[in-house]
Amino acid sequence: MRSILMGVGLQVCGSAVVLAAGLPWLAAARSAGQAVNPAEAPPPPAVASPVTRESLAGTYDGGQMEVAARLLLKPDGHFDYELAYGALDEGGEGTWEFKEGAVFLTTVPAVVPPRFVVESDEPDPRGGLWIKLSSGPVMQDAPQRVYLIYGPNEEEGMAEVAADGHVPLPGNRRPTAIVPEIPVYPITSKPIPLTGTGGHRLVLRFEPNDIGKADFHGQRLGVEGGVLVMTRRDLQLILHFKREG
């Protein structure tokens, strides 16, 4: 009887040994099976499409708070651009190219900037400075101001032209040149020299030319996740153009 029990015990123990020895192999097999099971494997990461000149062509909206902007990149390499920012309205057209991971805009034809022309410069016996605009105000209801240029190492000043044309000179300092301001637009006209030691009575004519046209010379737009980013340092503004549709 004992021998029979011992035999059965050995058989049972032997089965347990076999099962115990086989468990690691079964676990590894199951683990391997799970790793290669297509139904349970995670999907591969999406591969972003490369940015090309062809993929960038389209219409983009750059609107944001207090800003309306639009950019059209045509497949033929031309662009149309519009911007409304406060009192400023600006537009432009020309050619665009894609290189070094960015878009570059160049205005075509070249912009003729606005300017002030001196029609006359008469001496003022009292030593003052007077300015008259024969063409009328540059912008209606906007005050006319002028930058006052002094020596090469001296800080420039600013003065507003009075209704009668008189220009106050802070500290009675005599400028060597003036630069009339063009309101709203970030455009600086050429300095008008003031020669001699006496006063001046100036009559100026404003020629608007291509005022309101964007003067781009390789204006860069970075490409960031499908968004075209234009930095306008002259306006202290960053535009984010997002594709429409």
Side-chain angles (χ1 to χ4, degrees):
M1 184 69 175
R2 178 178 296 182
S3 60
I4 296 174
L5 291 175
M6 290 180 62
V8 173
L10 287 174
Q11 291 179 2
V12 172
C13 291
S15 300
V17 170
V18 171
L19 288 173
L23 285 176
W25 179 87
L26 289 173
R30 289 175 180 174
S31 176
Q34 291 175 354
V36 299
N37 188 349
E40 299 180 4
V47 179
S49 301
V51 178
T52 64
R53 184 179 180 279
E54 291 73 20
S55 68
L56 287 170
T59 303
Y60 295 81
D61 180 14
Q64 57 193 59
M65 185 176 295
E66 300 182 353
V67 175
R70 178 179 174 274
L71 176 64
L72 170 61
L73 300 181
K74 300 180 182 180
D76 64 359
H78 289 79
F79 77 87
D80 287 326
Y81 160 86
E82 295 175 339
L83 171 67
Y85 177 40
L88 181 145
D89 289 318
E90 184 181 69
E93 59 183 21
T95 60
W96 70 278
E97 59 180 335
F98 176 63
K99 61 181 182 181
E100 300 173 356
V103 172
F104 295 85
L105 308 179
T106 299
T107 303
V108 179
V111 170
V112 179
R115 65 172 186 163
F116 289 90
V117 178
V118 179
E119 292 186 344
S120 66
D121 182 0
E122 301 293 337
D124 178 56
R126 293 177 295 178
L129 177 60
W130 303 76
I131 295 177
K132 177 184 177 181
L133 292 176
S134 64
S135 52
V138 175
M139 180 169 290
Q140 199 66 35
D141 299 327
Q144 181 61 58
R145 301 186 298 181
V146 293
Y147 294 96
L148 306 174
I149 311 300
Y150 301 103
N153 298 320
E154 298 182 68
E155 185 177 357
E156 64 184 27
M158 170 71 79
E160 184 173 318
V161 180
D164 61 357
H166 181 249
V167 180
L169 301 178
N172 291 323
R173 298 171 62 200
R174 293 189 176 277
T176 60
I178 62 168
V179 178
E181 181 188 45
I182 300 176
V184 177
Y185 291 90
I187 304 171
T188 302
S189 58
K190 292 183 179 180
I192 298 173
L194 300 177
T195 58
T197 58
H200 293 263
R201 286 183 171 270
L202 297 168
V203 178
L204 307 179
R205 181 180 72 254
F206 177 67
E207 296 181 349
N209 296 325
D210 289 335
I211 191 171
K213 289 187 177 181
D215 192 12
F216 293 148
H217 299 271
Q219 170 68 54
R220 184 181 185 277
L221 289 84
V223 182
E224 301 179 5
V227 178
L228 306 183
V229 182
M230 175 191 289
T231 301
R232 290 290 302 271
R233 292 184 175 86
D234 54 345
L235 297 176
Q236 298 182 347
L237 181 66
I238 299 178
L239 298 170
H240 296 81
F241 289 95
K242 300 177 182 179
R243 185 185 293 274
E244 292 184 350

